[in-house]
Amino acid sequence: MSSPGKPHSLNVELPANLEAVYTNFALISHTPSEVIVDLAQLLPNQPQVRVKTRAIMTPLNAKLLLRALQENLSKYAAAYGEITLPGKG
């Protein structure tokens, strides 16, 4: 098993029938050994949020995901402009 700091090549398979799920809401919780991310759809005029998928990972993998998201959002901002949060004009 390689260490998290050393890059290596992976062959990632995307199945032809993989269903993409649109989400615009996340609920994040944790236990001492897991981080749980529920991805959901919040629709206008609907009082209920519907969870579409749940991802469970170790705290280490959650931290690596956070780092990957930060890196990708930095690249996105460099290409398309800074992402402005609501209420942060």
Side-chain angles (χ1 to χ4, degrees):
M1 183 172 188
S2 65
S3 67
K6 294 185 179 183
H8 57 281
S9 178
L10 294 175
N11 184 14
V12 178
E13 178 186 343
L14 291 175
N17 62 346
L18 180 66
E19 182 180 345
V21 176
Y22 175 77
T23 63
N24 59 357
F25 190 87
L27 298 166
I28 303 170
S29 57
H30 65 276
T31 69
S33 60
E34 299 163 332
V35 174
I36 300 106
V37 181
D38 289 324
L39 299 173
Q41 291 177 347
L42 174 62
L43 301 175
N45 302 317
Q46 297 292 319
Q48 186 174 4
V49 175
R50 175 166 287 167
V51 173
K52 300 302 259 179
T53 191
R54 172 174 277 183
I56 303 170
M57 60 192 83
T58 65
L60 172 60
N61 285 332
K63 192 160 191 170
L64 291 170
L65 175 61
L66 174 63
R67 183 170 69 185
L69 284 169
Q70 289 171 327
E71 289 173 2
N72 277 273
L73 287 173
S74 291
K75 291 175 187 176
Y76 178 95
Y80 304 108
E82 194 60 39
I83 301 165
T84 305
L85 295 175
K88 301 264 183 182

